[in-house]
Amino acid sequence: MKKKQDIPFTFGVNIPDATLDKYDNHIIRTLSSMQGQYFDTESYEAMLLEDDQVLYEVFEIKRPEIAGELLTGLSVVHPGKVGDEFFMTKGHFHTVLETAEVYYCLQGEGYMVMETPEGDWAVEELRPGRVLYVPPRWAHRSVNSSADEDLVTFFVYPGHAGHDYGTIEEQGFRNLVVEKNGRSKIIDNPRWRHQEERK
Ligand SMILES: [Fe+2]
């Protein structure tokens, strides 16, 4: 008899509710977990005083966090802005840098903002039906540029990848996605400082 974890299984993705019909872990990230990440700190502090609102949620299917396994789940970024900057995820490098990730966009509109430790950067559009391949070494953050709709993506990444949030918390991403004259615009982050330059 095989161990229970090795039996194939299925699960459903509910759209437009943006949930999985089965999941093991539900992560809720609120405004207060994004300290220092938004450019407009004044707006950030003012919003936080008002309400520590939910920015995004992640529903995870638990599997052993080892090479050979795949971790899957649903990421739901809610619509909204801090100042002119759209709601976004914390963003991370994988602890094991040489690991990739696939995102499949199911609902909404937005961007994946990415960069490497070497300072290369890329921004790709997310919309329903688009698949994004994030190669090894690229940090990634999803940004919801819709005024009223959740950005929902399904993700798959290697079990041993791990998350390094600290590097991004310190240096930020090189690009910001802001609203300008009713449209989304990708701009340089004036506060971005490359890891190498800080040394
Ligand atoms: Fe990732």
Side-chain angles (χ1 to χ4, degrees):
M1 183 70 184
K2 286 255 183 201
K3 281 186 290 182
K4 190 162 180 275
Q5 68 178 29
D6 290 330
I7 294 171
F9 59 92
T10 64
F11 52 88
V13 181
N14 307 312
I15 296 291
D17 323 354
T19 55
L20 296 181
D21 65 9
K22 186 189 93 171
Y23 54 86
D24 303 302
N25 195 26
H26 180 195
I27 298 165
I28 299 174
R29 297 261 198 237
T30 62
L31 201 56
S32 59
S33 70
M34 297 290 281
Q35 196 78 45
Q37 292 300 293
Y38 283 97
F39 180 70
D40 186 344
T41 46
E42 224 167 276
S43 295
Y44 176 85
E45 295 300 338
M47 281 176 77
L48 200 53
L49 277 179
E50 230 18 45
D51 179 22
D52 189 14
Q53 61 180 294
V54 176
L55 302 190
Y56 68 98
E57 301 174 63
V58 183
F59 300 87
E60 295 177 323
I61 303 286
K62 215 171 173 55
R63 291 293 302 173
E65 294 182 7
I66 54 174
E69 289 282 350
L70 294 172
L71 299 177
T72 59
L74 208 64
S75 160
V76 181
V77 186
H78 298 302
K81 284 179 298 174
V82 175
D84 294 330
E85 200 176 355
F86 292 109
F87 281 5
M88 60 194 185
T89 61
K90 283 168 91 77
H92 58 266
F93 283 96
H94 289 164
T95 312
V96 179
L97 260 182
E98 304 298 336
T99 52
E101 185 155 353
V102 167
Y103 283 85
Y104 179 42
C105 182
L106 298 162
Q107 188 188 307
E109 57 184 69
Y111 298 90
M112 191 70 80
V113 176
M114 293 166 283
E115 68 189 52
T116 66
E118 290 73 39
D120 300 311
W121 60 271
V123 179
E124 289 290 330
E125 214 177 312
L126 297 169
R127 56 178 191 275
R130 299 296 296 172
V131 177
L132 168 68
Y133 188 85
V134 183
R137 306 186 71 77
W138 288 79
H140 38 285
R141 155 180 286 166
S142 32
V143 180
N144 183 350
S145 59
S146 164
D148 48 21
E149 206 180 1
D150 286 336
L151 173 67
V152 184
T153 50
F154 182 78
F155 58 80
V156 185
Y157 64 96
H160 66 304
H163 293 100
D164 163 20
Y165 294 105
T167 305
I168 294 299
E169 277 169 357
E170 266 187 54
Q171 76 180 41
F173 271 87
R174 191 166 185 151
N175 298 112
L176 308 179
V177 187
V178 298
E179 186 181 69
K180 191 139 195 194
N181 304 321
R183 307 183 65 144
S184 47
K185 196 169 181 221
I186 296 150
I187 62 165
D188 288 339
N189 178 0
R191 285 210 212 106
W192 183 76
R193 281 189 71 196
H194 193 231
Q195 293 180 83
E196 298 303 315
E197 289 172 21
R198 284 204 315 268
K199 281 174 190 162

